[in-house]
Amino acid sequence: MKRRLVIAAHADDETIGCGGTMAKYSQHGATTFVGVLTRDQSDDVHTVRRSEAEQAWQKLGVTDSGWAEMRSHPLTVSPTAVDAVTGWIESVRPDIVFLPHPGEDDPDHAAVAAIVKSARILARSGCILLGYEVWTPIARPSVFEDVSDFVAVKGEAINCFRSQVADRDYASAALALNRYHGVISGRGQHVEAFGMIS
């Protein structure tokens, strides 16, 4: 069975960046574990964010999830963060790990790559690392996933994060980027693009 581990700095990063791919793999029988590294400082806000995430992930077919509950802004490459991801890799034993690509402008997003690369070494895993886009497009993506049949559910999942989309239409932005990649790559109507991380 195919096993996918999707790691996010903040809950909603993963849905924006690779929600279509998550839904597609789920429909094709893969198990998907989502690991979120940070939490909101307010307990009330964090509770809302977790509830929103669970609703979104249910739509995408996520099998299980975990929260490291690290401090955000800044998320640092700390032993605690590396240990959390190491544990996820060891328990899930993924063939592919999805994470924000290291060129992301948001410092928390960018920090995830160093955390995951260190964790992969500690876990002695040969898993493939694929970087996804959240706020910053990848200049030269190398992997393309046709998610044309899953853009509707991706949009619905993004909009589950009501606290985040109240003043920003992340769904329209993400799907427009997917349409752009589809046109430029010729791989489908809507395409999620990824970068290989060594």
Side-chain angles (χ1 to χ4, degrees):
M1 178 179 288
K2 294 179 180 178
R3 296 179 297 275
R4 307 292 192 243
L5 172 58
V6 183
I7 298 176
H10 322 102
D12 80 355
D13 294 345
E14 73 302 320
T15 305
I16 293 168
C18 61
T21 298
M22 292 161 65
K24 181 176 181 177
Y25 283 155
S26 174
Q27 188 175 95
H28 292 162
T31 61
T32 302
F33 182 102
V34 175
V36 180
L37 284 166
T38 68
R39 57 159 292 149
D40 292 277
Q41 292 185 357
S42 161
D43 287 343
D44 289 342
V45 174
H46 183 59
T47 299
V48 169
R49 196 78 172 266
R50 284 189 71 142
S51 175
E52 293 172 345
E54 288 166 5
Q55 292 172 43
W57 297 341
Q58 185 176 26
K59 289 181 179 293
L60 300 177
V62 171
T63 312
D64 201 359
S65 61
W67 297 73
E69 304 208 347
M70 305 283 298
R71 176 183 175 184
S72 65
H73 300 107
L75 172 63
T76 61
V77 186
S78 66
T80 304
V82 172
D83 286 348
V85 177
T86 302
W88 292 335
I89 293 174
E90 289 176 340
S91 63
V92 176
R93 292 179 293 113
D95 43 2
I96 301 175
V97 177
F98 295 91
L99 61 147
H101 75 94
E104 281 279 327
D105 287 339
D106 181 275
D108 284 5
H109 297 173
V112 176
I115 294 168
V116 174
K117 287 167 70 173
S118 296
R120 180 173 63 170
I121 293 170
L122 290 175
R124 298 181 180 180
S125 171
C127 59
I128 295 168
L129 304 184
L130 293 181
Y132 59 78
E133 303 165 308
V134 187
W135 286 2
T136 311
I138 298 170
R140 293 179 178 82
S142 54
V143 176
F144 301 90
E145 192 70 52
D146 181 1
V147 296
S148 303
D149 293 338
F150 301 92
V151 290
V153 71
K154 175 176 177 172
E156 291 172 5
I158 293 172
N159 285 328
C160 286
F161 292 95
R162 289 175 292 280
S163 64
Q164 304 305 303
V165 302
D167 59 353
R168 293 191 184 187
D169 189 356
Y170 287 123
S172 291
L175 300 188
L177 181 60
N178 298 157
R179 179 66 184 126
Y180 169 83
H181 284 309
V183 171
I184 297 302
S185 70
R187 307 293 181 92
Q189 290 291 312
H190 287 82
V191 169
E192 288 179 343
F194 303 91
M196 294 284 294
I197 299 174
S198 58

